[in-house]
């Protein structure tokens, strides 16, 4: 049976940062977004409040800013190589992230079969953000189930890669998981743990499993 590999973005594929912080860095608003990341991480605000507040911060955002943020971000190495290997094995890879859809979707060009992020309007913004489109930890499980149906696999065939509390619910429902540069929220939950900057090394922890 083919497997579905589910990758978180912030703190997982991106090392030590989040997509919103990298986007905001291009606008000189890094500190404000780091504060928002801390607030949502501590449970002081929820995904909907977070989406509304970063939307307001990004009033001047352009496609050039997003491209610069994506290109300059501290990605783990060999992401494309891992996804090419997954594809060559007849398996599937997807990115499911609470970060904005307009950033996450760029990973389709790197070889992901599917990407899902919090729904934001196209950049530059001419429409308001719909807070109901902001993803949550629970939404990651819902999306994973939808992807399973799309690719013809089951939860039992899934491998999850994540780093923080937003991945706890997904880790709890799949049989194999890899904590990547993870914080304490995933302690004791992951099947495997990886610390480093190379996704291939994290993938090798599960590559031989079926």
């Amino acid at each position: 049976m083919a497997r579905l590999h589910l990758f978180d973005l912030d703190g997982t594929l991106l090392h030590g940062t989040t997509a919103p912080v990298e986007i905001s860095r291009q606008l000189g608003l890094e500190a404000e977004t780091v504060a928002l990341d801390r607030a949502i991480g501590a449970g002081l605000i929820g995904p909907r409040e977070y989406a509304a507040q970063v939307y307001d911060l990004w009033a001047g955002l352009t496609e050039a800013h997003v491209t610069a943020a994506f290109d300059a971000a501290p990605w783990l190495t060999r992401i494309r190589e891992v996804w090419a290997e997954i594809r060559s094995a007849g398996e599937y890879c997807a990115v499911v992230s609470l970060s904005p859809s307009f950033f996450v979707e760029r990973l389709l060009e790197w070889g992901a079969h599917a990407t899902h992020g919090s729904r934001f309007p196209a950049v530059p913004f001419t429409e308001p953000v719909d807070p109901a489109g902001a993803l949550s930890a629970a939404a990651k499980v819902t999306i994973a189930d939808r992807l399973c149906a799309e690719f013809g696999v089951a939860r039992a065939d899934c491998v999850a890669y994540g780093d923080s509390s937003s991945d706890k619910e997904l880790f709890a429902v799949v049989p194999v998981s890899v904590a990547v540069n993870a914080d304490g929220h995933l302690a004791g939950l992951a099947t495997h743990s990886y610390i480093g900057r190379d996704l291939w090394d994290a993938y090798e922890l599960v590559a031989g499993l079926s």
Side-chain angles (χ1 to χ4, degrees), residues 68-175:
F70 188 92
D71 290 345
W75 299 99
L76 294 193
T77 60
R78 296 202 281 181
I79 293 173
R80 280 170 277 202
E81 289 85 348
V82 168
W83 293 351
E85 179 66 19
I86 288 170
R87 282 177 170 269
S88 71
E91 299 185 342
Y92 304 97
C93 52
V95 181
V96 184
S97 170
L98 275 57
S99 276
S101 52
F102 60 76
F103 191 94
V104 182
E105 288 164 1
R106 288 172 173 252
L107 290 167
L108 289 169
E109 297 180 6
W110 286 16
H113 285 93
T115 62
H116 289 269
S118 293
R119 289 198 313 272
F120 271 71
V123 176
F125 299 145
T126 58
E127 303 172 7
V129 66
D130 179 4
L135 298 188
S136 64
K140 286 191 172 187
V141 176
T142 302
I143 291 168
D145 285 341
R146 192 183 312 154
L147 289 169
C148 284
E150 179 180 344
F151 296 129
V153 300
R155 281 186 183 180
D157 308 309
C158 290
V159 182
Y161 305 74
D163 75 303
S164 66
S165 59
S166 70
D167 303 299
K168 286 179 67 175
E169 295 191 37
L170 184 58
F171 274 36
V173 299
V174 301

